[in-house]
Amino acid sequence: MSEPTQRKPTIVVIATGGTIAMRIDPISGGPVPTLSGADLVAGIPALGDLGEIIVEEFANIPSEQMQPHTWLQLAQRIRALTSVDAAGARLSTRQRPRGIIILHGTDTMEETAFFLDVTAPTDVPVVLTGAMRAASDPDPDGPRNIVDAVTVAVHARSRGRGVLVVMNGNIHSARRVTKIDTSDVGAFQSVLPPDLGRIHAGRVHYSGAWSPRTHVPLPTHLPRVDIIPMYAGVDDFALKAALAVGAAGLVINAVGAGNVNDALFQGILQALNAGIPVVIASRVPYGEVRPVYAYSGGGIALLRAGAIFARDLNPQKARVLLMAGLGAGMASPALVSLFNQ
């Protein structure tokens, strides 16, 4: 009697576009969206050895065109694939895919990854990947990144780690990863602590690094939150403009460990007095924001005024978390706890 054939793991690939799906347009002279997710998968025969690949064509856009409502749709899709069926019954382990791959442009990849990590918790590995070189490049990095992403998704030790970003052979957590180079294939890096692991010669090697995770109930909508920059000589014009168009919250891209000048500080005080939550992040890529200085605009003064510190989150991720918290109906005390988990 022959041995039963072992069932291949099911991997769902959700294509959203990005450079990975672009080719050089001879008329415009630059990469434009061209390939579907099915095209990309069909061009990588090795994927068939890793699992049964199911492709979903979600979008084909540069990641600059990603919108908060797109994040919500992606989160809803992931929850549908990993949580409950159309009738509301909880899916069994057998019904759920082994992993989910999201093909995404690199420019806002970290924001999408972090939003999904916060709002779509699941033990099923969700891995974002993309490319720094177009598909028509003589040496495209997309195919290898896709293979690496699927390799990570089917690995037993990837379960329960949250949303991951896999690029250039490195495994990053959604919370820690950021894009640090405009063009190099090694454009992504984890900060505080280093990356979670690597893929080498088809093998996954996890390090001992750990990344905290924060969960928020999936909102039905995401309110407007704007990032206000701090730079030498800035005033509160941009802050007031954001409030004038309906910002429900503000993230300050502060300097140092979380400091602003007096002019911006006065605008922050007015926003806080009006009940607008203000989160302090930093334009410095490494280290946490924390209250250090007591002068007007220093971190201690901001904390005493009621501002929330983003800790290790960069401004764009602090904005994602504030939007999710506000969208879930959280008021000030709950928001403080959310950022301090």
Side-chain angles (χ1 to χ4, degrees):
M1 185 176 179
S2 61
E3 293 290 330
T5 303
Q6 187 173 2
R7 184 170 176 262
K8 288 185 177 181
T10 300
I11 301 294
V12 176
V13 175
I14 301 176
T16 73
T19 299
I20 195 169
M22 295 186 187
R23 289 185 178 276
I24 298 293
D25 175 41
I27 297 175
S28 64
V32 296
T34 306
L35 301 175
S36 67
D39 293 332
L40 292 168
V41 167
I44 312 173
L47 291 176
D49 297 329
L50 297 174
E52 179 187 353
I53 310 297
I54 299 173
V55 180
E56 295 190 4
E57 307 291 352
F58 185 88
N60 196 350
I61 57 175
S63 67
E64 292 82 3
Q65 305 300 333
M66 281 287 166
Q67 299 290 332
H69 66 80
T70 316
W71 295 341
L72 285 172
Q73 293 166 358
L74 274 172
Q76 290 163 352
R77 184 60 189 141
I78 289 172
R79 290 165 72 98
L81 286 168
T82 60
S83 300
V84 296
D85 62 18
R90 180 166 292 278
L91 297 175
S92 68
T93 301
R94 185 176 179 83
Q95 290 173 303
R96 293 183 294 173
R98 177 73 68 85
I100 298 171
I101 310 299
I102 300 177
L103 307 182
H104 196 288
T106 60
D107 285 343
T108 64
M109 181 184 288
E110 64 195 81
E111 293 167 72
T112 299
F114 185 56
F115 180 80
L116 297 177
D117 192 54
V118 168
T119 61
T122 175
D123 61 348
V124 174
V126 177
V127 183
L128 276 76
T129 195
M132 295 298 294
R133 297 170 179 162
S136 56
D137 189 275
D139 185 24
D141 56 325
R144 170 50 56 190
N145 285 338
I146 294 175
V147 171
D148 285 348
V150 174
T151 301
V152 169
V154 300
H155 195 275
R157 291 187 62 194
S158 298
R159 297 187 68 84
R161 290 181 180 268
V163 175
L164 304 173
V165 170
V166 170
M167 292 286 292
N168 195 41
N170 294 306
I171 308 169
H172 307 275
S173 74
R175 185 181 184 105
R176 301 300 196 195
V177 71
T178 191
K179 187 175 181 179
I180 61 162
D181 195 286
T182 60
S183 57
D184 192 85
V185 292
F188 284 80
Q189 188 177 99
S190 290
V191 295
L192 200 86
D195 55 292
L196 297 182
R198 286 189 55 79
I199 309 100
H200 180 68
R203 293 181 178 273
V204 176
H205 304 274
Y206 275 108
S207 68
W210 171 84
S211 179
R213 299 183 64 197
T214 302
H215 293 150
V216 173
L218 182 63
T220 57
H221 75 288
L222 292 172
R224 178 176 184 134
V225 172
D226 287 297
I227 299 174
I228 307 301
M230 164 61 202
Y231 49 87
V234 73
D235 58 20
D236 61 354
F237 175 81
L239 183 149
K240 288 181 176 178
L243 296 179
V245 294
L250 300 171
V251 173
I252 309 300
N253 191 6
V255 295
N259 310 301
V260 300
N261 66 10
D262 187 63
L264 186 52
F265 180 58
Q266 296 305 317
I268 291 170
L269 291 179
Q270 292 178 26
L272 290 169
N273 289 335
I276 303 296
V278 177
V279 174
I280 308 299
S282 178
R283 70 187 198 182
V284 180
Y286 291 90
E288 294 192 14
V289 290
R290 59 193 188 280
V292 177
Y293 297 100
Y295 55 75
S296 178
I300 291 176
L302 286 164
L303 184 64
R304 287 174 176 168
I308 302 168
F309 277 67
R311 303 190 64 163
D312 61 307
L313 296 177
N314 61 25
Q316 54 269 33
K317 290 182 186 175
R319 172 178 176 263
V320 167
L321 188 56
L322 183 55
M323 291 174 74
L326 289 172
M330 293 183 175
S332 182
L335 290 173
V336 174
S337 297
L338 182 64
F339 278 87
N340 283 286
Q341 285 180 359

